[in-house]
Amino acid sequence: MIVSTAVGDVQVLAGNVPARWQSLIRRGMLFSECEGVEFWDLPEGSTLPVRAEDGTEEAVLVLRGAVGFRAQGQPAVPAGSGRLLLIPHGLAGELRAEEPATALLVVRGLPAAVSRRLPARLPELPAGEPVPHAQEER
């Protein structure tokens, strides 16, 4: 895994509140379906926008604290520590930290309608190496 680091914390605004952010993976480091993986450390009341025009789906794993996801015009969907929110492509709204020191792992990927059109990627083995089978013991 490639992790970007900076000297000290990276401070960003989540809504209008300072938060800590770290990019763990960016597109091109893994499969092309993955747009990015980010770590967020959010103070209570901070918000992260989810934009429909970004063209991605999001999986939000709550590592600590709690968040609520509110799609425009809908009631909030809560998720506490250890829960996973799946936000489909095309849905706009915002994630709001509902507890102090909320930590999230956010994975953004392309929707199936897009990734189905990408060429198949198969792992490559050095010439002459046999393909391992799941039933073989190592």
Side-chain angles (χ1 to χ4, degrees), residues 116-137:
R116 260 190 242 112
R117 291 183 281 166
L118 297 173
R121 289 167 319 284
L122 302 173
E124 294 179 17
L125 295 172
E129 291 285 324
V131 176
H133 295 283
Q135 45 287 55
E136 290 180 6
E137 283 191 37

Side-chain angles (χ1 to χ4, degrees), residues 87-110:
I87 303 171
H89 165 245
L91 187 62
E94 71 178 14
L95 288 162
R96 177 183 168 85
E98 302 293 347
E99 293 182 8
T102 294
L104 307 176
L105 186 67
V106 179
V107 179
R108 285 187 189 86
L110 297 176

Side-chain angles (χ1 to χ4, degrees), residues 8-132:
D9 291 343
V10 176
Q11 294 292 322
V12 295
L13 290 179
N16 58 358
V17 180
R20 192 167 64 93
W21 170 86
Q22 186 174 33
S23 172
L24 302 177
I25 299 170
R26 282 282 156 234
R27 186 172 196 201
M29 294 178 183
L30 286 176
F31 297 112
S32 56
E33 290 94 340
C34 183
E35 287 289 316
V37 179
E38 301 169 343
F39 171 80
W40 286 91
D41 192 2
L42 302 171
E44 186 173 10
S46 59
T47 59
L48 296 176
V50 175
R51 293 181 285 270
E53 63 271 14
D54 287 349
T56 61
E57 299 177 317
E58 295 189 24
V60 180
L61 177 61
V62 182
L63 302 172
R64 180 180 65 235
V67 295
F69 173 72
R70 182 181 307 273
Q72 294 174 349
Q74 301 294 317
V77 176
S81 184
R83 297 294 186 172
L84 181 69
L85 283 172
L86 299 175
I87 303 171
H89 165 245
L91 187 62
E94 71 178 14
L95 288 162
R96 177 183 168 85
E98 302 293 347
E99 293 182 8
T102 294
L104 307 176
L105 186 67
V106 179
V107 179
R108 285 187 189 86
L110 297 176
V114 173
S115 63
R116 260 190 242 112
R117 291 183 281 166
L118 297 173
R121 289 167 319 284
L122 302 173
E124 294 179 17
L125 295 172
E129 291 285 324
V131 176

